Each structure stands twice: as C-alpha cells, then as structure tokens.
Amino acid sequence: MAKIWYLGHSCFHLEIDGIQIVTDPFIKPNPKAGNIDFTSIKADIIVVSHGHGDHIADLVELANQTGAEVISNYEITTWLEKQGYAKSRPMNHGGAHESHGLRFKMTNAIHSSSFPDGSFAGNPAGFVIQGKNDCMYFAGDTALTYDMKLINEEFDLSLAFLPIGDNFTMGIEDAAKAANFCGASRVVGMHYDTFGFIEIDHNEALNKFNARDVELLLPAVGDKLEL
Ligand code: NI
Ligand code: MN
C-alpha cells in the first residue's frame, strides 16, 4: 500500500515501502497550493523530471530542508551542485538506480528542458518507481509516445501519474491512450488547472479515461490517498 499526498501541479509526496519521495517540487510559487505547509514536507528522495520552473522552483529549498537524495538528469544534478547541494544522483534515459530499497528507471519523455534562466537543463524524462508491491510511472511533462509501450512490456504498473492539461503536454485524449500504452488501469492526473493554458473539463476527462477502462483520479491539492 502506497500513500499519496497531492501538493499541486506535478508535485506529489509519495510513501512507498515507508520511503518518502517528492516529485517535481513546485509549491511556493503555485497559487493553487497555498494550503500546503511547506515546512512540514519530509523526503528521503526527490525526483525531478526536467528543468522548467514549474518543476524545480522549490528544489533547492526542499533539498536543503529535507536532506533528500535528488534523482534527476546529469545537467540538473550538476546545476544543483553549483547551488551548494551535492547529495544527488545523476542519471540518463534507460538507466536504473536503486535507492532506499526502491528502483528508479529513467524513461523517455517528449518535451523540452531548460532552467528558468534559459540555459540547457538536459533532456526531459519520466521515471518508473518500483517498490516491493507498488510500481508507479511518473511521466513528467510529455507528449504521447509509442515508447510508453516499452513500459508495459517491462513493468506491471499499479499506477501512473500522467500529465493531462494539454497545451504543454498531452491532453486528456492522448493521456487516456497513454494509460493503455503503458498498461496502467489507474491514473492520477497532473499538470492541469494550475494556470489558464492548462484548464480542463473534469467530467470530460473522467469519461475519456473511463471509455478506455482506466480509472482516473483527480485529487484536490492537499488531498491524501492510500492506494
Ligand atoms: Ni515543462
Ligand atoms: Mn511543466
């Protein structure tokens, strides 16, 4: 059983096999995450998909607060080192890394990746996180891609976190198809409703996923789930 606490946008606090993981920390600048007490967030591991501000805005501060190991691409961990934070694990696509008894495999994502100052932040990625009983795919920001079928070949997913907000990533139609591609029968939606470009119709999203036999969960910011 895994615990999920939604911190808004693509930021989740996960607890798998007792290990605490935060994805793509973007809380303080998120106007929709005003109800989250930042100082209460703990983490053993922080996973970062790419360098855009809506995924790393709170990375340095949260890393310092938690002392977590930061798992990301080489360019982002190198940048982090220059900010004075060295407890990180550089990775690249196709590689896997075991940490705290969990396995992290870095997957492809179709997107871009630059730091807020415009400099190169490596290539965007997703991660499959494998625990004893849970296997979760955190897709990061991505378009729909046939590469997701490789995830289905290799893993038996218990859950996928997929972007559904359209415009910068997949919209609901493509994301529902992505769920079928990667073999997830249960999906937590992310990267929607945070700002104007990515507002979605919740009922339409639920129906589109339902039509593909996929359960879509749309927790409110601050909600806690046990799955
Ligand atoms: Ni992005
Ligand atoms: Mn984004």
Side-chain angles (χ1 to χ4, degrees):
M1 173 134 346
K3 292 180 184 169
I4 298 167
W5 176 26
Y6 188 37
L7 305 179
H9 204 52
S10 299
C11 185
F12 295 89
H13 180 278
L14 313 175
E15 197 179 309
I16 304 173
D17 299 344
I19 304 303
Q20 303 187 77
I21 304 155
V22 172
T23 62
D24 286 0
F26 171 69
I27 299 150
K28 288 191 170 180
N30 181 355
K32 301 284 168 72
N35 59 334
I36 303 297
D37 174 13
F38 189 89
T39 57
S40 74
I41 302 170
K42 295 186 169 64
D44 301 298
I45 298 165
I46 300 172
V47 169
V48 181
S49 65
H50 66 295
H52 289 155
D54 58 323
H55 300 261
I56 66 155
D58 293 318
L59 174 57
V60 175
E61 192 171 346
L62 190 67
N64 281 313
Q65 173 175 301
T66 59
E69 176 188 21
V70 177
I71 298 178
S72 190
N73 69 35
Y74 172 78
E75 289 78 4
I76 288 174
T77 59
T78 302
W79 172 85
L80 195 57
E81 222 163 283
K82 286 187 190 138
Q83 322 291 313
Y85 195 83
K87 194 174 169 189
S88 62
R89 176 73 172 211
M91 292 185 68
N92 220 321
H93 303 97
H97 161 54
E98 211 171 299
S99 177
H100 295 74
L102 305 174
R103 184 169 179 262
F104 296 79
K105 184 165 184 182
M106 196 170 183
T107 65
N108 293 342
I110 297 187
H111 193 65
S112 60
S113 177
S114 50
F115 290 110
D117 71 357
S119 63
F120 183 59
N123 290 309
F127 291 87
V128 174
I129 307 169
Q130 257 181 312
K132 285 187 194 79
N133 301 306
D134 301 283
C135 187
M136 301 185 179
Y137 170 41
F138 176 74
D141 280 6
T142 185
L144 176 66
T145 158
Y146 258 52
D147 289 344
M148 291 163 177
K149 294 190 177 195
L150 295 171
I151 294 170
N152 193 15
E153 278 184 22
E154 184 177 352
F155 300 99
D156 187 11
L157 296 182
S158 50
L159 190 69
F161 298 89
L162 301 179
I164 58 172
D166 216 333
N167 195 81
F168 297 115
T169 68
M170 300 187 281
I172 52 181
E173 187 95 53
D174 281 359
K177 193 181 275 188
N180 287 164
F181 278 11
C182 70
S185 56
R186 187 182 253 175
V187 166
V188 176
M190 63 181 186
H191 213 275
Y192 66 97
D193 285 357
T194 313
F195 34 79
F197 291 131
I198 58 173
E199 276 166 11
I200 65 159
D201 181 323
H202 290 209
N203 279 331
E204 192 189 346
L206 295 167
N207 290 337
K208 285 259 160 65
F209 276 74
N210 194 32
R212 289 181 170 275
D213 285 325
V214 179
E215 181 189 3
L216 176 66
L217 304 174
L218 299 174
V221 180
D223 276 1
K224 293 183 176 180
L225 314 170
E226 284 196 30
L227 299 170

